[in-house]
Amino acid sequence: IAGNGDDKTHDGAPASGHAQFSMQALLTTIGIARDEVVNLAAPSAHGREKLVSEALRPAATTDRWQAQRDDQAFGPATDRALASVGMIEAANPEEEALAIAITLREALDTPGKTVALVTPDRALARRVVAALERWDVAVDDSGGDPLPDTQAGRFARLAAEASLGDLKPVTLLALLKHPLLRLGAAAGAHNGAIAALERSVLRGPRPKPGSEGLGHALATFRANRDNMHRSDPRWLIERGELDAAASLIEQLKGALAPLESLKAGDHKLATLAECHRDVVANLGRDADGAVDAFAGNDGTVLADALDKIIESPSAQSLSASRGDYVELFHAAIGDRVVRRPETRDVRVHIYGPLEARLQSADLLVLGGLNEATWPPETRSDPWLSRPMRRDLGLDPPERRIGLSAHDFAQSLGAPEIVLTRAAKLAGAPTVTSRFVQRIAALAGKERWGTVLARGNRVLELTRALDQPATVKAAERPSPTPPVAARPSRLSVTAIEDWLRDPYTVYAKYILRLYPLDAVDTPPGARDRGTVIHGAIGDFTVQFAGGLPADPQRQLLALGEKRFAPLGDFPEATAFWWPRFQRIAQWFVGWDRARRDGIATLHGEIKGEVKFPVGQREFTLSAIADRIEWRKDGSYAIIDYKTGAARTEKQVRTGLAPQLTLEGAILREGGFKGLRPGSISEITYVTLKGGDPAGEPKEINFKEGTPDIQADHALARLKELATTFENAATPYLSLVHPMWSNHYGDYDHLARVKEWSLGGGGDEGGE
């Protein structure tokens, strides 16, 4: 309070943003002059008071800095003041937190030394606490956490969002997997049921709204489960797991009923809060009847907050809609702070700037020294102008800057000081706190460079902490499972994977890993292909012997059955059904035109061929969409595609061997009921519903006939199977250059982006 050493500095009242504004106001109020203030203790050994006082001069008097520099005593005094000060300028908040943690941990090597972090940035404080956990350092963090950021606060918000938001899959899964969920059982008792519910109905297209829609979706899944392809990961869900999932839905329905059953429209805020409290209690009650969501420090504060809202006269008179309640609740608890249990007998503390005034430590770290954090951002009052605030006796907006400056000046009195800031926040550059800039400007470039050097030493330790000794590029994975584990039976569609990306065969057929759909995704290309391809296939099988009187009506009827599971998604049906109608009209005309040359027609026909490979027998299987035995004695193999058809080059070079291998099975007599014969046509029929709605794309080989290409495909398969029958042959990832950028569902497991960018694999292969 003694000022900056000259009366000119304090002539009149200092600006509200000055560090001594509040102290000067106090002296004025009690009628004491500055020179009447008596120092209660001798100046500190480091003599930092003079430097800080000069640095925080009012802007109008900073012209006296030059006079201070000209003083012969300024240099030695400044050197002594900065001798125990370091400045850490980290690249980002994460690096800043780790650097602070290293500083605190290093200081603990000195017996009895106390250290503390002072920061108004609670996010930084939490990062530092987390970073110190790697060394098991106990921390007394007295700052506390906002109630919405605690476990109990998040659980309560998720309960309201799920109940009032029609059980959206992402929100519902976050609620079900929250550590406070109990539903009348011990922690983790429902994990199996939650996993089964997620895999069966929450991944992929969203179920109908609410718990009723969730139950309907599970019932539909159970009814269709037996018709699923064995490669579908959902088929692997056990019936007992589905029973547990059904039971979980019933329990969830009862727990959410107080909020979920509220009718649309406005309700008293107190009523909504009371129902919300009941839902949280239902979800968090364990087998003994205790509500874990209302236990602990955060649970107690949450229960008190809900009770206060319910009992509030304004909440009993104010009405709100169901959709607005979640945000109202979040705003109501936003200013509540949950204090952490006091940790005694520790040497590491974290304080806020205000409480740090009454504490002391041997080493003080001042963190978050950026503009808008320390000092905080000045906010203008939208209702009261500055003159109006002055006339009413209210503080000006800059008062917070003055208080922040005072906190900063007070903290610099510790024996050792480390200042820290992050150069970027969320990728955007930050501005160094004006307080630090003033000290750096007063000290001069050379002296401040010494301060930065001390901080750079810590930064070097920070960056070296998690830096590996050597960096080696990832190599292309080359698993070599034993022969007994290698597949001895594959379908013609899997051979395409085997040729392009053997790692897919390894992951899918040896490790038996199946990709899961993302949570809450709208019906996509795969679902469209399933329903359209299924309806065309049903029509081909049902009317293989001859067309009905009204084939288009029959095909549309079969399509309605296939589209039935999409009834929960009217937007998908509205978009795809008109396309299917166009496909049906086109397909009937195309099919009728081909019937005259067909002796017999076979749809969805199964076939296989076996051949010896090493000590085992390999089986190639297929389900052909359509095989026509023509009146001239030859065969036509046709495949329905709702996506892009394969090109002649891809088929001829063996990159797309599905139809040529089906031809090989046919020539070997592998399709039951069909005698071996010559193949005169291989055709893809694309069914997209656009313009045109469908299009046949016959493969006219530039070299050889379909028979020759079929024999060649089988011979190449035998060579491939023989190669992989060797235990030393690895299942490499993306062996063909054409697919080196992206191909399968298992690229992330094969770490394709790592080894392809790092040169961990060549571009050779078949």
Side-chain angles (χ1 to χ4, degrees), residues 665-703:
I665 295 174
L666 179 60
R667 287 173 56 78
E668 294 287 330
F671 285 104
K672 187 176 181 180
L674 297 180
R675 62 185 183 183
S678 177
I679 304 167
S680 59
E681 179 186 347
I682 289 178
T683 297
Y684 289 99
V685 176
T686 59
L687 305 168
K688 297 183 178 180
D691 185 16
E695 184 179 5
K697 295 186 178 181
E698 183 177 353
I699 303 298
N700 296 310
F701 293 104
K702 294 181 179 179
E703 299 176 6

Side-chain angles (χ1 to χ4, degrees), residues 215-235:
H216 169 74
L218 183 62
T220 302
F221 171 81
R222 301 186 75 168
N224 297 329
R225 176 181 175 275
D226 293 338
N227 297 326
M228 290 181 179
H229 195 275
R230 298 301 185 263
S231 63
D232 191 325
R234 296 178 298 173
W235 182 81

Side-chain angles (χ1 to χ4, degrees), residues 175-245:
L175 175 64
L176 293 176
K177 295 183 179 183
H178 195 282
L180 290 179
L181 182 80
R182 297 293 183 270
L183 282 175
H190 298 291
N191 287 352
I194 294 170
L197 182 63
E198 175 183 352
R199 292 163 57 197
S200 59
V201 298
L202 295 181
R203 287 189 173 273
R206 179 187 298 188
K208 286 183 177 180
S211 54
E212 292 292 341
L214 201 61
H216 169 74
L218 183 62
T220 302
F221 171 81
R222 301 186 75 168
N224 297 329
R225 176 181 175 275
D226 293 338
N227 297 326
M228 290 181 179
H229 195 275
R230 298 301 185 263
S231 63
D232 191 325
R234 296 178 298 173
W235 182 81
L236 300 174
I237 305 174
E238 301 287 344
R239 296 187 184 278
E241 294 177 305
L242 293 176
D243 291 339

Side-chain angles (χ1 to χ4, degrees), residues 121 145 168 172 192 200 233 258 304 311 666 746:
D121 187 350
D145 299 300
K168 295 178 181 177
L172 176 60
S200 59
D304 179 69
E311 297 168 1
L666 179 60
Y746 302 95

Side-chain angles (χ1 to χ4, degrees), residues 276-522:
H276 185 197
R277 182 184 59 186
D278 293 341
V279 168
V280 173
N282 294 339
L283 293 170
R285 184 174 290 109
D286 60 20
D288 298 327
V291 181
D292 291 355
F294 292 149
N297 286 9
D298 55 346
T300 302
V301 175
L302 172 64
D304 179 69
L306 286 169
D307 289 340
K308 291 291 177 57
I309 295 174
I310 295 170
E311 297 168 1
S312 170
S314 57
Q316 294 175 3
S317 59
L318 177 66
S319 295
S321 66
R322 297 170 79 250
D324 292 337
Y325 173 73
V326 175
E327 294 304 323
L328 287 172
F329 167 72
H330 190 267
I333 68 172
D335 60 346
R336 291 181 173 264
V337 177
V338 178
R339 302 294 177 184
R340 300 187 180 188
E342 182 180 359
T343 305
R344 298 181 179 275
D345 300 325
V346 297
R347 291 193 287 151
V348 180
H349 301 267
I350 296 180
Y351 301 124
L354 181 61
E355 60 185 335
R357 296 182 186 180
L358 304 177
Q359 306 296 335
S360 62
D362 299 320
L363 168 64
L364 215 58
V365 179
L366 309 186
L369 286 168
N370 284 325
E371 288 292 306
T373 300
W374 197 345
E377 187 176 9
T378 301
R379 297 180 180 179
S380 299
D381 193 327
W383 307 109
L384 298 175
S385 65
R386 293 175 184 272
M388 294 171 66
R389 292 182 64 88
R390 183 186 64 245
D391 294 343
L392 291 172
L394 300 176
D395 291 331
E398 291 79 11
R399 173 74 186 281
R400 295 185 63 200
I401 295 180
L403 294 174
S404 182
H406 181 75
D407 294 334
F408 177 78
Q410 290 282 97
S411 297
L412 286 177
E416 294 182 52
I417 296 293
V418 175
L419 312 174
T420 73
R421 65 175 293 265
K424 286 188 176 182
L425 178 62
T430 58
V431 177
T432 308
S433 169
R434 66 190 68 178
F435 308 144
V436 176
Q437 292 186 52
R438 279 169 163 263
I439 293 178
L442 180 61
K445 184 177 181 179
E446 183 177 348
R447 292 187 179 89
W448 192 248
T450 304
V451 174
L452 289 173
R454 298 188 187 103
N456 290 338
R457 183 191 69 84
V458 178
L459 281 178
E460 291 175 1
L461 294 175
T462 302
R463 291 163 184 169
L465 184 62
D466 297 319
Q467 183 70 25
T470 58
V471 178
K472 181 181 179 183
E475 296 182 357
R476 179 186 299 197
S478 55
T480 54
V483 172
R486 301 187 177 212
S488 60
R489 180 187 183 94
L490 290 174
S491 67
V492 292
T493 53
I495 303 304
E496 192 168 311
D497 292 331
W498 209 4
L499 289 165
R500 300 174 180 176
D501 184 27
Y503 190 88
T504 292
V505 174
Y506 168 74
K508 189 173 184 179
Y509 297 98
I510 299 177
L511 299 183
R512 298 188 181 279
L513 299 176
Y514 302 103
L516 297 175
D517 290 331
V519 176
D520 193 11
T521 55

Side-chain angles (χ1 to χ4, degrees), residues 81-281:
L82 295 177
S84 53
V85 177
M87 177 70 200
I88 297 174
E89 292 191 331
N92 51 59
E94 292 74 21
E95 186 176 81
E96 180 186 10
L98 185 55
I100 293 173
I102 290 175
T103 301
L104 300 177
R105 173 61 186 85
E106 187 179 39
L108 294 181
D109 288 341
T110 302
K113 188 173 185 178
T114 57
V115 294
L117 166 64
V118 179
T119 179
D121 187 350
R122 286 304 305 162
L124 176 62
R126 287 193 291 269
R127 288 191 181 100
V128 172
V129 172
L132 286 170
E133 289 179 354
R134 69 194 302 166
W135 298 295
D136 295 326
V137 174
V139 182
D140 178 24
D141 182 6
S142 60
D145 299 300
L147 178 57
D149 294 340
T150 63
Q151 277 200 355
R154 288 192 295 268
F155 183 67
R157 181 176 179 116
L158 287 171
E161 284 184 349
S163 304
L164 300 175
D166 296 329
L167 298 187
K168 295 178 181 177
V170 174
T171 306
L172 176 60
L173 281 175
L175 175 64
L176 293 176
K177 295 183 179 183
H178 195 282
L180 290 179
L181 182 80
R182 297 293 183 270
L183 282 175
H190 298 291
N191 287 352
I194 294 170
L197 182 63
E198 175 183 352
R199 292 163 57 197
S200 59
V201 298
L202 295 181
R203 287 189 173 273
R206 179 187 298 188
K208 286 183 177 180
S211 54
E212 292 292 341
L214 201 61
H216 169 74
L218 183 62
T220 302
F221 171 81
R222 301 186 75 168
N224 297 329
R225 176 181 175 275
D226 293 338
N227 297 326
M228 290 181 179
H229 195 275
R230 298 301 185 263
S231 63
D232 191 325
R234 296 178 298 173
W235 182 81
L236 300 174
I237 305 174
E238 301 287 344
R239 296 187 184 278
E241 294 177 305
L242 293 176
D243 291 339
S247 176
L248 174 65
I249 292 175
E250 289 301 316
Q251 295 180 64
L252 195 63
K253 180 179 178 181
L256 302 180
L259 279 178
E260 194 178 17
S261 60
L262 287 176
K263 296 180 179 180
D266 291 348
H267 300 271
K268 298 297 183 184
L269 181 57
T271 302
L272 289 167
E274 187 172 4
C275 293
H276 185 197
R277 182 184 59 186
D278 293 341
V279 168
V280 173

